[in-house]
Amino acid sequence: MQPITDLPRRLLLLAAGVAGTVGVISAAAASHAGESRNLSAIATICLAHGPALLALCGAGLDRSLLRIAGYLLAAGTLIFSADLGIREWLGHGAFPGAAPLGGAGMIFGWVLVAIGALFSRQ
């Protein structure tokens, strides 16, 4: 196995690993915490976006559109999940508008994935 030397791929692979880890931990915690809505949402978002980020790592990140899509998905997932986690454990959000900002990042990331598919040269 060759090491991944491309920084954009490494960052997205890191984000995929973190999202997957947080997703599994959140799913387990939700099942033991009396069905916490926040923990369930974190698990759903992370377990949906972690594999997507992993797939983007192998989908030709040399095209800047997919690279930007991956970064938006990763940042949106991080911000959204962090805001819900902070709400769960501290009783307040990370900052005003954090969840909508993270959600918008994920939405626009998926839109860019779709646009990237339409304009792919492969």
Side-chain angles (χ1 to χ4, degrees), residues 6 10 15 20 31-32 36 59 63 71 74 77 87 99-100 105 108 118-119:
D6 182 15
R10 289 182 74 132
S31 72
H32 297 287
S36 164
R63 297 196 320 264
Y71 288 153
T77 300
R87 284 182 193 282
F108 289 121
L118 290 174
F119 295 103

Side-chain angles (χ1 to χ4, degrees), residues 44-75:
T44 300
I45 291 297
C46 287
L47 290 175
H49 289 84
L53 293 169
L54 188 60
L56 282 172
C57 285
L61 287 178
D62 51 326
R63 297 196 320 264
S64 62
L65 195 59
L66 287 181
R67 185 178 302 139
I68 294 168
Y71 288 153
L72 280 172
L73 286 172

Side-chain angles (χ1 to χ4, degrees), residues 76-118:
T77 300
L78 172 70
I79 293 168
F80 188 84
S81 298
D83 185 65
L84 290 182
I86 290 169
R87 284 182 193 282
E88 180 69 23
W89 292 296
L90 300 179
H92 60 81
F95 56 87
L101 177 66
M106 290 182 285
I107 291 167
F108 289 121
W110 282 111
V111 168
L112 286 181
V113 169
I115 291 170
L118 290 174

